[in-house]
Amino acid sequence: MHLVLLGSPGAGKGTQVEILRSKLDLVHIATGDLLREAVKGRTLLGQKAENFIKEGRLVPDDVILELLEDKIKQEKKGFILDGFPRNLFQAKKLDEILHGQNKGLDLVINLEVKESVIIERLSGRLLCSSCGRIYNKEDLGNSNSTCRVCGVSLCRRDDDNSEVIKERIKTYLKHTYPLLDYYRKKRVLYNIQGEKSPQEVAQEIMNFLSKKEKI
Ligand code: ADP
């Protein structure tokens, strides 16, 4: 199975993949995580991407494809793509890569969340610096800011500050939002209300996949 998760920054893509990955035997490919790793490792690719990420803009397509193309081609058992494609060029490129291997996209899941909720979520988001698990200030309540699994302290992503959040949302609306129409026309788009609890959203996705309802 080849799935794409769409949705604005903060829509819950990463959280959903964490839940779905254990239920579906698929590989998770998250461009944001791959890019942050490359930046941290000071690779050439990371250096090319760094400023774009800091500013909330899209990293150039050639850099993204260099990072991703082989991974997609080599993946045998199926994948969930999170953060790719992010514009029309990337969507067409993905079609081309899959087509070249006699494959196609099975489903594009779009998580719909309104802007005010997105801003609130991103401003309160904390990550485990070891395993990358996502927490929200509300989930943690008064408990200390450590990961429930690793016990390691939580941190904020550099681009989760109000200026960059605004820019990321703008970038999403301009470049990624038009993909909804692209995939709707291809009849692979499934919209999900992403403001429910993560477990409810995941359950809805699983129900949909098991029934394979007609889109
Ligand atoms: P979010 O969806 O919360 O904004 P991601 O972790 O998916 O965060 O991406 C972080 C940043 O990485 C983006 O703001 C962008 O700069 C860059 N990025 C990720 N995926 C892509 C992509 N497919 N094309 C271009 N830039 C990307």
Side-chain angles (χ1 to χ4, degrees):
M1 188 151 45
H2 301 98
L3 303 181
V4 166
L5 264 187
L6 281 184
S8 85
K13 302 184 294 289
T15 304
Q16 284 310 311
V17 174
E18 242 177 60
I19 305 173
L20 293 174
R21 206 166 30 161
S22 59
K23 300 179 193 272
L24 302 166
D25 189 22
L26 297 174
V27 167
H28 173 206
I29 304 179
T31 42
D33 292 345
L34 293 173
L35 286 168
R36 279 183 289 277
E37 243 167 62
V39 171
K40 213 166 146 191
R42 304 296 308 149
T43 66
L44 188 61
L45 211 140
Q47 290 175 38
K48 287 186 197 165
E50 189 168 13
N51 282 335
F52 293 95
I53 300 174
K54 267 192 196 145
E55 290 164 13
R57 291 188 290 145
L58 290 188
V59 171
D61 292 326
D62 58 332
V63 178
I64 293 294
L65 287 168
E66 199 184 321
L67 182 82
L68 211 66
E69 191 162 353
D70 287 343
K71 274 206 168 52
I72 293 178
K73 283 184 177 161
Q74 283 157 15
E75 203 36 74
K76 296 277 177 285
K77 69 175 182 184
F79 55 64
I80 310 183
L81 284 177
D82 158 9
F84 180 88
R86 242 171 158 106
N87 61 25
L88 216 48
F89 175 83
Q90 294 180 7
K92 288 183 177 162
K93 190 72 198 176
L94 176 62
D95 285 345
E96 209 180 289
I97 296 171
L98 290 174
H99 188 72
Q101 299 184 310
N102 287 321
K103 293 177 192 160
L105 275 183
D106 296 285
L107 190 64
V108 176
I109 298 164
N110 176 45
L111 300 174
E112 294 177 312
V113 178
K114 59 173 181 281
E115 193 169 320
S116 56
V117 175
I118 283 164
I119 294 174
E120 209 181 292
R121 280 185 185 175
L122 291 177
S123 318
R125 177 161 80 173
L126 292 169
L127 306 178
C128 170
S129 44
S130 169
C131 71
R133 263 188 188 74
I134 303 163
Y135 293 87
N136 210 283
K137 276 185 183 153
E138 285 165 20
D139 311 329
L140 292 164
N142 290 328
S143 65
N144 58 356
S145 297
T146 52
C147 175
R148 279 185 214 113
V149 182
C150 312
V152 169
S153 61
L154 304 180
C155 58
R156 262 185 103 173
R157 238 169 72 175
D158 290 343
D159 57 352
D160 279 348
N161 68 68
S162 57
E163 277 312 300
V164 184
I165 289 172
K166 270 189 222 147
E167 202 50 45
R168 281 157 64 203
I169 293 173
K170 246 204 240 162
T171 302
Y172 165 78
L173 290 173
K174 183 167 177 202
H175 297 282
T176 314
Y177 186 76
L179 295 187
L180 299 188
D181 211 35
Y182 178 76
Y183 287 125
R184 196 176 294 117
K185 284 182 184 143
K186 286 182 171 285
R187 303 185 64 79
V188 286
L189 184 71
Y190 175 52
N191 281 308
I192 282 205
Q193 171 49 263
E195 285 171 34
K196 297 177 194 160
S197 76
Q199 292 301 337
E200 281 175 301
V201 175
Q203 194 52 54
E204 204 173 308
I205 295 175
M206 289 307 294
N207 290 347
F208 182 82
L209 287 175
S210 64
K211 280 193 248 156
K212 287 198 176 57
E213 286 172 35
K214 219 173 163 322
I215 303 168

